[in-house]
Amino acid sequence: MPLTVTLAPLSAQAAETKLKALGYTSNLYLWPMEEAFYAELPAATGDLVEIEAVPHDLAGLKGPEVLSMLQDGTLQIAAQNISYMAGEDPRFEALDLAGVTLTAEDARKATEAYKPVLSAVMEEKFNTHLLGLAPMPSQIFWCRTEIGGLNDLSGKKIRVFNSTLSDFVAGAGGTTVTIPFVEVIPALQRGVADCAVTGTASGNSANWFEVTDFLYPMNVGWSMVFWAANKETWDGLSPETQAALSEQYAKLEGMAWEEQVKRDVDAIACSTGGECSYGKAANMTLVAVSDADMAKHAEIIKDYVLPNWSERCGADCTAEWYATVGAAIGLAPEAN
């Protein structure tokens, strides 16, 4: 059925093409970036195209349904976490394998190497044209009960949002609960979850510090975001409009990568009583990530994260990943 949302009237720009888009979550920093991007788009494209956008949560959507709505044309353009779609194809979590890329630099290398794979999968299998990919800040643990390190996650109920995070939590001895982002705060309040994984800036922006007291900044992913268009919508645009949109989304993608780096460091400081430039000041306890924790982190990736994803994706998919992402970040398959 078609998406029904109430949108503001289109501006008076005499754009040749007018489209509608679903944006990212309204209370996270990526949405204001998108909002400014869409406001400036007519001028940036010489009035070739105008896009009217609304955040997905204000449209009443939780996120995982976005790909199917793009596929069938209910949505023309949308942004969402790509790993939400991993149930449709395991390759959608290939850039978010929990803890595999620990730096923004490695995440960028991995993304550039794997983007052609995802572009082909989306176009050939899901009737969708990929426009861009960028990460949210590093995904870490927000806990309402006291923890001192990785071992203390054992026995805890931990909110996750994809299968690879479930693999990591299982390796740490925890129990996973899958909860949409917009429902996490009440879940923590009710004790449905003891801890929850989200980004440094996402949790801060959404006031998770009001329901959690301990911030454990072990990086277990990036919550990679995609922008994409329904293929029929895309194919119906003129070559000139396609070129203009590709150029502008590449700029949005680049800005999002730069902003992620700034927000990541700032958000941890904001949440734990440090110097705060972008986020909301809070006074959570910052839990140190020890060398022993990182050694166990590496074991979990080796024993749980990579083999479990490989089993879901299959031999050919795994070989493709090592030939692209693995080669880009210097990670080779283990010899049997």
Side-chain angles (χ1 to χ4, degrees), residues 124 147 159 222 249 273 297 307 314:
E124 296 166 9
I147 67 167
R159 177 263 179 174
W222 301 96
Y249 273 100
H297 178 282

PDB file of all heavy atoms in Angstrom, residues 124 147 159 222 249 273 297 307 314:
ATOM      1  N   GLU A 124      20.229  -5.259  -9.259  1.00  0.00           N
ATOM      2  CA  GLU A 124      19.821  -6.497  -9.924  1.00  0.00           C
ATOM      3  C   GLU A 124      18.788  -7.285  -9.134  1.00  0.00           C
ATOM      4  O   GLU A 124      17.930  -7.951  -9.716  1.00  0.00           O
ATOM      5  CB  GLU A 124      21.057  -7.362 -10.169  1.00  0.00           C
ATOM      6  CG  GLU A 124      22.062  -6.729 -11.136  1.00  0.00           C
ATOM      7  CD  GLU A 124      23.428  -7.404 -11.113  1.00  0.00           C
ATOM      8  OE1 GLU A 124      23.553  -8.480 -10.476  1.00  0.00           O
ATOM      9  OE2 GLU A 124      24.375  -6.851 -11.706  1.00  0.00           O
ATOM     10  N   ILE A 147      28.914  -1.854  34.653  1.00  0.00           N
ATOM     11  CA  ILE A 147      29.837  -2.801  34.050  1.00  0.00           C
ATOM     12  C   ILE A 147      31.247  -2.227  34.168  1.00  0.00           C
ATOM     13  O   ILE A 147      31.429  -1.019  34.262  1.00  0.00           O
ATOM     14  CB  ILE A 147      29.517  -3.110  32.566  1.00  0.00           C
ATOM     15  CG1 ILE A 147      29.742  -1.870  31.683  1.00  0.00           C
ATOM     16  CG2 ILE A 147      28.105  -3.641  32.404  1.00  0.00           C
ATOM     17  CD1 ILE A 147      29.755  -2.199  30.197  1.00  0.00           C
ATOM     18  N   ARG A 159      20.421  -4.847  23.679  1.00  0.00           N
ATOM     19  CA  ARG A 159      19.723  -4.466  22.455  1.00  0.00           C
ATOM     20  C   ARG A 159      20.700  -4.395  21.285  1.00  0.00           C
ATOM     21  O   ARG A 159      21.743  -3.764  21.369  1.00  0.00           O
ATOM     22  CB  ARG A 159      19.052  -3.109  22.626  1.00  0.00           C
ATOM     23  CG  ARG A 159      18.354  -2.606  21.355  1.00  0.00           C
ATOM     24  CD  ARG A 159      19.179  -1.631  20.527  1.00  0.00           C
ATOM     25  NE  ARG A 159      18.456  -1.218  19.310  1.00  0.00           N
ATOM     26  CZ  ARG A 159      18.862  -0.306  18.451  1.00  0.00           C
ATOM     27  NH1 ARG A 159      20.030   0.294  18.643  1.00  0.00           N
ATOM     28  NH2 ARG A 159      18.150  -0.012  17.376  1.00  0.00           N
ATOM     29  N   TRP A 222      29.498   0.522  12.678  1.00  0.00           N
ATOM     30  CA  TRP A 222      29.329   1.912  12.248  1.00  0.00           C
ATOM     31  C   TRP A 222      27.895   2.273  11.875  1.00  0.00           C
ATOM     32  O   TRP A 222      27.602   3.420  11.597  1.00  0.00           O
ATOM     33  CB  TRP A 222      30.232   2.190  11.046  1.00  0.00           C
ATOM     34  CG  TRP A 222      31.671   1.960  11.361  1.00  0.00           C
ATOM     35  CD1 TRP A 222      32.396   0.828  11.108  1.00  0.00           C
ATOM     36  CD2 TRP A 222      32.562   2.853  12.030  1.00  0.00           C
ATOM     37  NE1 TRP A 222      33.682   0.970  11.571  1.00  0.00           N
ATOM     38  CE2 TRP A 222      33.814   2.201  12.134  1.00  0.00           C
ATOM     39  CE3 TRP A 222      32.437   4.143  12.536  1.00  0.00           C
ATOM     40  CZ2 TRP A 222      34.928   2.794  12.744  1.00  0.00           C
ATOM     41  CZ3 TRP A 222      33.534   4.734  13.131  1.00  0.00           C
ATOM     42  CH2 TRP A 222      34.771   4.059  13.234  1.00  0.00           C
ATOM     43  N   TYR A 249      24.619  13.809  -4.441  1.00  0.00           N
ATOM     44  CA  TYR A 249      24.636  12.786  -3.385  1.00  0.00           C
ATOM     45  C   TYR A 249      26.064  12.386  -3.012  1.00  0.00           C
ATOM     46  O   TYR A 249      26.335  12.039  -1.857  1.00  0.00           O
ATOM     47  CB  TYR A 249      23.810  11.563  -3.791  1.00  0.00           C
ATOM     48  CG  TYR A 249      22.352  11.699  -3.433  1.00  0.00           C
ATOM     49  CD1 TYR A 249      21.415  12.061  -4.397  1.00  0.00           C
ATOM     50  CD2 TYR A 249      21.905  11.489  -2.137  1.00  0.00           C
ATOM     51  CE1 TYR A 249      20.075  12.216  -4.074  1.00  0.00           C
ATOM     52  CE2 TYR A 249      20.571  11.634  -1.802  1.00  0.00           C
ATOM     53  CZ  TYR A 249      19.659  11.994  -2.770  1.00  0.00           C
ATOM     54  OH  TYR A 249      18.323  12.149  -2.444  1.00  0.00           O
ATOM     55  N   GLY A 273      30.690  13.962  30.706  1.00  0.00           N
ATOM     56  CA  GLY A 273      31.132  15.104  31.481  1.00  0.00           C
ATOM     57  C   GLY A 273      32.324  15.848  30.932  1.00  0.00           C
ATOM     58  O   GLY A 273      32.904  16.693  31.626  1.00  0.00           O
ATOM     59  N   HIS A 297      38.002  -9.137  22.222  1.00  0.00           N
ATOM     60  CA  HIS A 297      37.288  -8.583  21.066  1.00  0.00           C
ATOM     61  C   HIS A 297      37.764  -9.265  19.783  1.00  0.00           C
ATOM     62  O   HIS A 297      36.962  -9.707  18.954  1.00  0.00           O
ATOM     63  CB  HIS A 297      37.555  -7.077  21.029  1.00  0.00           C
ATOM     64  CG  HIS A 297      36.955  -6.322  19.892  1.00  0.00           C
ATOM     65  ND1 HIS A 297      37.485  -6.323  18.617  1.00  0.00           N
ATOM     66  CD2 HIS A 297      35.878  -5.494  19.838  1.00  0.00           C
ATOM     67  CE1 HIS A 297      36.757  -5.549  17.831  1.00  0.00           C
ATOM     68  NE2 HIS A 297      35.780  -5.029  18.547  1.00  0.00           N
ATOM     69  N   PRO A 307      32.984 -16.155  11.052  1.00  0.00           N
ATOM     70  CA  PRO A 307      32.454 -17.457  10.596  1.00  0.00           C
ATOM     71  C   PRO A 307      30.931 -17.510  10.517  1.00  0.00           C
ATOM     72  O   PRO A 307      30.376 -18.134   9.613  1.00  0.00           O
ATOM     73  CB  PRO A 307      32.996 -18.451  11.628  1.00  0.00           C
ATOM     74  CG  PRO A 307      33.393 -17.645  12.810  1.00  0.00           C
ATOM     75  CD  PRO A 307      33.789 -16.306  12.283  1.00  0.00           C
ATOM     76  N   GLY A 314      27.567 -17.561   2.488  1.00  0.00           N
ATOM     77  CA  GLY A 314      28.005 -18.591   1.556  1.00  0.00           C
ATOM     78  C   GLY A 314      29.443 -18.399   1.094  1.00  0.00           C
ATOM     79  O   GLY A 314      30.049 -17.342   1.276  1.00  0.00           O
TER      80      GLY A 314
END
